[in-house]
Amino acid sequence: MGREHRAQEPQSWDPREPQTPARPPDGWSAPPQGPPASSPHLGGTPQPKKRRRIFLWIFLVIQILFLIWVIAGAASGSGTPEDCRGLTGDNLKLCEDADDVGTTIGVGLIIGLWAAVDVILGFTYVVYRLATRRA
């Protein structure tokens, strides 16, 4: 409390005299100038980036492609095959059943490949997460 307050000299508003910024009173801090220190433009700590879920979107696209492939494969087995036209009776029934078995095997192979790709993608994701996790 023993500190003396000095009176500031009056400032002239005459435009011919050079203007200097007024000094804040003792004990006051100067107002901050410019962007905050955490601004990425000043080399401060950048804000964390929004996580992009690229792996999720790639995974979903692959699932949709396999689903379309399974539907197309199953739909290709409908109707009477060209090789069976002109046959009658048991021969027609045997030819259509053989075509249905072939379609079932084909769709089963697509589903097996789909499961294998999903397992590989799952392991890839786990390895990626372990490699990029923060210690």
Side-chain angles (χ1 to χ4, degrees):
M1 288 241 182
R3 194 184 254 185
E4 292 181 24
H5 291 288
R6 291 181 245 153
Q8 291 183 355
E9 295 180 21
Q11 293 184 355
S12 170
W13 293 100
D14 187 10
R16 290 176 287 190
E17 293 183 24
Q19 298 283 332
T20 58
R23 199 181 108 222
D26 292 335
W28 287 17
S29 62
Q33 301 292 323
S38 63
S39 173
H41 300 293
L42 294 179
T45 307
Q47 298 294 330
K49 291 183 179 178
K50 182 179 176 185
R51 290 183 60 197
R52 296 192 174 132
R53 302 201 179 263
I54 294 173
F55 188 86
L56 174 68
W57 290 109
I58 291 172
F59 180 79
L60 289 176
V61 166
I62 290 172
Q63 301 310 303
I64 290 170
L65 289 175
F66 269 109
L67 184 62
I68 291 170
W69 194 10
V70 166
I71 291 170
S76 70
S78 64
T80 302
E82 290 183 23
D83 294 339
C84 297
R85 295 208 173 127
L87 299 175
T88 58
D90 288 340
N91 289 337
L92 177 63
K93 178 78 171 138
L94 183 64
C95 183
E96 288 177 344
D97 288 344
D99 185 63
D100 290 342
V101 169
T103 301
T104 304
I105 291 171
V107 170
L109 287 173
I110 293 170
I111 291 173
L113 180 63
W114 188 358
V117 167
D118 281 350
V119 168
I120 291 168
L121 285 174
F123 281 132
T124 304
Y125 182 71
V126 168
V127 168
Y128 169 76
R129 291 293 299 211
L130 289 175
T132 60
R133 71 177 182 181
R134 295 180 187 175

